[in-house]
Amino acid sequence: MTGLGKDLIGLEHLSADQVRLILDMAEPFKEVSERQIKKVPALRGKTIVNLFFEASTRTRISFEFAEKRLSADTVNVSTVGSSVLKGETLVDTARNLEAMRIDMVVIRHPSSGAAGFLAQRIRSNVINAGDGKHEHPTQALLDLLTLRDRFGRIEGLKVAICGDVLHSRVARSNIWGLLKLGAEVAVSGPATLIPRGIEQLGVTVFPRIEDAIAWADALNVLRLQLERMESGYVPSLREYNRVFGITRERLSRASPELVVLHPGPMNRGVEIDSDVADGPHSVILPQVTNGVAVRMAVLYLLAGGGPDWRAAGEER
């Protein structure tokens, strides 16, 4: 049993020490990605299946980079052209893969709870790469690492999560992770996109985005998940940008130390303007870089790795 247990399904049930363990382990893995030969043999001989039932570019590629840099063997499975389209169940798919002696499954699925459901039914380690509207733990972890890099701490930071909180698994994982590490958390967005009773989680609600910007040390800007919406959540994309968009004009009144995060993909000109996404407040590209290191740390820890991975003999 490692410090994380068998699986990583979400941050809700991790302790603060477990979250810190992942962030601390990610630090030395950052250096691997800066080498000329970006590889260590920490997971040599391990086989990892990336099982993606939803479209993904950023998360899937980040996991693939992490796996390859740890020298694992990887197999990518998507629903397109797979037996899932022929009616095979999630568990049957995973059990058939497990019969081929795999070690880990990284799963993204449109149904909340799918990752936990699978983890209870197979022996292999399971990592949740996003399940429905439930959680996306590795995204929240890379957000936490990016904040810690910039401010040197998480405790005491004021972080506002802005936009489509209702449909966002990223928001839920961020709320759990930030609160566990001592940050203050607020949400801001249209009333139709803020879950009822979210204050019970210990967060503040700002109906006006200007108030959230004035309060926050960091903004985590969520995209409008139009694919999960029926009509009626917002009058129009143009109206959403006018009232809730993170624009250069709004940030001109903010502290110069304010940072802006975005989990991607971005709807430029909707929840965030291009001159903000590419401007001095943005830490969006460092988030992407940190994503590989965080996922390397999670894979390594779930495989039973300890702090002495460098001593195992590295590839140069």
Side-chain angles (χ1 to χ4, degrees):
M1 183 73 74
T2 72
L4 297 185
K6 172 180 168 288
D7 311 296
L8 180 65
I9 305 304
L11 300 192
E12 180 180 2
H13 300 296
L14 291 188
S15 68
D17 285 342
Q18 288 174 313
V19 175
R20 289 190 197 97
L21 172 66
I22 298 170
L23 300 183
D24 291 343
M25 183 58 70
E27 291 292 346
F29 282 128
K30 285 186 196 179
E31 181 263 333
V32 174
S33 294
E34 302 302 322
R35 298 179 182 180
Q36 186 173 2
I37 299 176
K38 300 174 175 61
K39 212 163 193 180
V40 293
L43 293 188
R44 182 183 289 158
K46 299 287 187 181
T47 302
I48 303 172
V49 173
N50 299 311
L51 191 58
F52 277 64
F53 291 86
E54 272 188 329
S56 170
T57 301
R58 200 171 275 93
T59 300
R60 178 178 55 80
I61 290 175
S62 182
F63 267 110
E64 287 181 39
F65 272 129
E67 292 153 5
K68 292 180 187 300
R69 287 177 185 176
L70 292 170
S71 302
D73 298 314
T74 64
V75 178
N76 297 311
V77 179
S78 68
T79 54
V80 178
S82 76
S83 297
V84 174
L85 293 182
K86 302 173 186 176
E88 185 171 82
T89 68
L90 170 62
V91 172
D92 283 337
T93 298
R95 284 178 175 166
N96 277 290
L97 291 168
E98 196 168 50
M100 301 177 201
R101 301 300 183 258
I102 64 170
D103 298 290
M104 293 188 192
V105 176
V106 178
I107 180 171
R108 169 169 286 200
H109 200 281
S111 298
S112 299
F117 176 84
L118 183 64
Q120 294 171 5
R121 288 162 176 80
I122 65 173
R123 294 183 300 275
S124 305
N125 305 107
V126 173
I127 300 173
N128 182 8
D131 61 334
K133 294 186 285 186
H134 175 226
E135 281 212 49
H136 192 350
T138 57
Q139 177 65 50
L141 288 164
L142 72 89
D143 293 344
L144 290 168
L145 185 60
T146 304
L147 288 171
R148 196 173 77 167
D149 286 348
R150 176 55 66 98
F151 293 101
R153 61 186 172 88
I154 300 294
E155 187 174 3
L157 287 182
K158 296 178 179 179
V159 182
I161 300 171
C162 309
D164 186 1
V165 179
L166 180 66
H167 299 100
S168 178
R169 53 198 174 205
V170 173
R172 285 159 180 76
S173 289
N174 263 279
I175 289 169
W176 292 121
L178 287 163
L179 291 176
K180 287 176 191 295
L181 296 189
E184 296 181 57
V185 183
V187 296
S188 182
T192 52
L193 295 177
I194 301 296
R196 292 180 183 176
I198 195 169
E199 299 92 338
Q200 296 175 20
L201 296 180
V203 306
T204 303
V205 177
F206 286 112
R208 296 178 70 251
I209 192 66
E210 292 83 0
D211 295 336
I213 292 172
W215 173 84
D217 298 308
L219 304 178
N220 200 333
V221 186
L222 307 173
R223 72 181 179 91
L224 285 180
Q225 297 195 33
L226 301 173
E227 73 277 10
R228 299 183 189 275
M229 295 184 190
E230 299 171 359
S231 61
Y233 284 98
V234 294
S236 68
L237 299 185
R238 184 174 181 179
E239 180 71 3
Y240 180 88
N241 179 260
R242 187 183 72 81
V243 180
F244 285 100
I246 306 302
T247 63
R248 182 171 60 181
E249 180 185 0
R250 287 193 167 104
L251 290 191
S252 68
R253 297 185 289 274
S255 164
E257 302 302 318
L258 178 77
V259 300
V260 175
L261 303 93
H262 195 301
M266 289 183 284
N267 295 313
R268 289 175 182 255
V270 181
E271 74 270 2
I272 189 168
D273 284 0
S274 287
D275 49 9
V276 174
D278 303 325
H281 293 282
S282 173
V283 291
I284 294 170
L285 291 180
Q287 284 179 273
V288 177
T289 302
N290 283 338
V292 176
V294 159
R295 288 167 177 132
M296 289 174 75
V298 168
L299 291 163
Y300 178 70
L301 288 167
L302 288 180
D308 57 346
W309 61 271
R310 295 174 186 272
E314 301 183 15
E315 296 179 7
R316 295 282 182 184

